[in-house]
Amino acid sequence: MVEKRLKCFCGGVCAIEYLDMLAKLGVGNAHPGGFGETIEQLKQYPIEKGKRVLEVGCGTGRTACYLAEQGLEVTAIDIRPEMVAKAKIRAEKLGVQVEFREGDVCQLPFEGASFDVVMVESVTNFADAEKAVAEYYRVLRPGGKLYDREVIRVKPMTAAVHRALCSFYGVSKIYSMEEWRELLQGSGFAVDFSGSHPFPLTMFEDQVQHPDPVHLSDRQSFMDPRIWQITARYDELVGKYHSYMGYTLMIGSKE
């Protein structure tokens, strides 16, 4: 996930942003559809054992470790050092081998044509999307696949709605499916989509159905009032504007 800094408002009270909250709580299923969607994706689009996979924006490493458990050779990066540290703890507790590194999605620290698969879960929209997609293409081998699940705009938004959502998430734009298509094709990918899926109102159901076996929240994070302020804001915005958003799995092929 793209790095976000703490911002202090007047009076010296520091607020936290959406991605800061995810980091402090060690959330491992924040992407649309949650961990259940990750499992279903790998059933529908299985990756052959032994393939070399790069997960971009790995967060606390839940998906990366799951991929390693399936017999894949996994490298995973995140720009936030605290996320990488938590991901390494997860891998150690689960007894799996993953190469975790700090890295910027817009400047991937790998040679070209290094990976068979690039896997992304709600990361590209938090970065400079055009640069990120170009980097995915560069590091994939010919015949390689990109799997990128991202939020999409499913109906026109007023400027005020778009601004409110972008400000909360810390992104510059919420793309439509066709805008994503143009962006990926512009970097050379042949593109397919899984379709448009409704934006989930809550992650609670996924957390119940697929509980995280490794808890990586910061000590005392649940006592931090800033956490509850931003989660309340999240619930408010999603409840008010979820009908404008959906998500899709983009499948890019490097010919």
Side-chain angles (χ1 to χ4, degrees):
M1 295 181 179
V2 67
E3 185 175 10
K4 307 293 288 183
R5 301 294 186 185
L6 295 182
K7 298 195 299 184
C8 290
F9 295 97
C10 295
V13 178
C14 289
I16 62 174
E17 298 179 353
Y18 175 69
L19 296 181
D20 299 316
M21 178 266 288
L22 298 182
K24 286 180 175 294
L25 293 180
V27 177
N29 67 332
H31 50 275
F35 194 64
E37 278 289 294
T38 302
I39 295 171
E40 289 304 312
Q41 173 188 323
L42 292 170
K43 288 179 181 177
Q44 188 171 0
Y45 305 100
I47 303 171
E48 185 181 344
K49 287 185 179 180
K51 291 293 186 181
R52 192 168 187 217
V53 180
L54 172 65
E55 191 197 1
V56 172
C58 64
T60 64
R62 189 173 185 187
T63 294
C65 290
Y66 183 78
L67 292 168
E69 289 173 337
Q70 311 311 305
L72 300 168
E73 182 184 344
V74 184
T75 300
I77 71 164
D78 200 285
I79 200 169
R80 303 183 70 127
E82 70 272 33
M83 286 295 208
V84 173
K86 289 179 178 182
K88 289 179 178 178
I89 293 170
R90 181 188 296 277
E92 182 178 356
K93 288 187 175 183
L94 294 177
V96 295
Q97 294 293 319
V98 178
E99 180 187 354
F100 288 107
R101 297 176 60 173
E102 290 181 38
D104 185 341
V105 62
C106 295
Q107 294 179 307
L108 294 173
F110 306 106
E111 297 293 329
S114 295
F115 297 95
D116 300 298
V117 174
V118 172
M119 190 158 173
V120 192
E121 295 180 310
S122 190
V123 173
T124 310
N125 208 169
F126 288 89
D128 182 321
E130 185 173 356
K131 289 182 180 179
V133 169
E135 282 291 272
Y136 304 158
Y137 190 88
R138 181 183 67 81
V139 301
L140 275 172
R141 294 168 177 161
K145 294 285 189 181
L146 165 70
Y147 298 100
D148 186 355
R149 188 181 301 106
E150 298 288 342
V151 171
I152 56 173
R153 187 181 72 249
V154 297
K155 66 179 184 180
M157 296 179 181
T158 66
V161 171
H162 190 257
R163 185 166 54 250
L165 290 168
C166 289
S167 176
F168 177 79
Y169 284 111
V171 301
S172 60
K173 180 178 181 177
I174 298 176
Y175 294 83
S176 69
M177 191 181 293
E178 285 308 307
E179 287 171 332
W180 278 118
R181 184 190 300 277
E182 291 174 8
L183 195 151
L184 267 70
Q185 288 178 338
S187 288
F189 283 108
V191 188
D192 289 311
F193 294 89
S194 66
S196 176
H197 310 283
F199 193 86
L201 281 169
T202 175
M203 292 184 287
F204 177 75
E205 184 177 349
D206 182 70
Q207 291 169 342
V208 171
Q209 293 180 349
H210 305 283
D212 191 343
V214 182
H215 300 286
L216 295 165
S217 58
D218 290 350
R219 186 175 298 179
Q220 301 301 319
S221 61
F222 290 99
M223 302 298 291
D224 188 339
R226 300 173 304 171
I227 296 290
W228 303 114
Q229 289 168 1
I230 199 164
T231 54
R233 179 62 175 153
Y234 174 86
D235 290 341
E236 177 188 353
L237 281 175
V238 171
K240 192 173 183 179
Y241 299 131
H242 76 278
S243 65
Y244 290 92
M245 300 184 293
Y247 67 93
T248 191
L249 175 65
M250 304 181 286
I251 306 162
S253 302
K254 182 174 180 176
E255 306 297 340

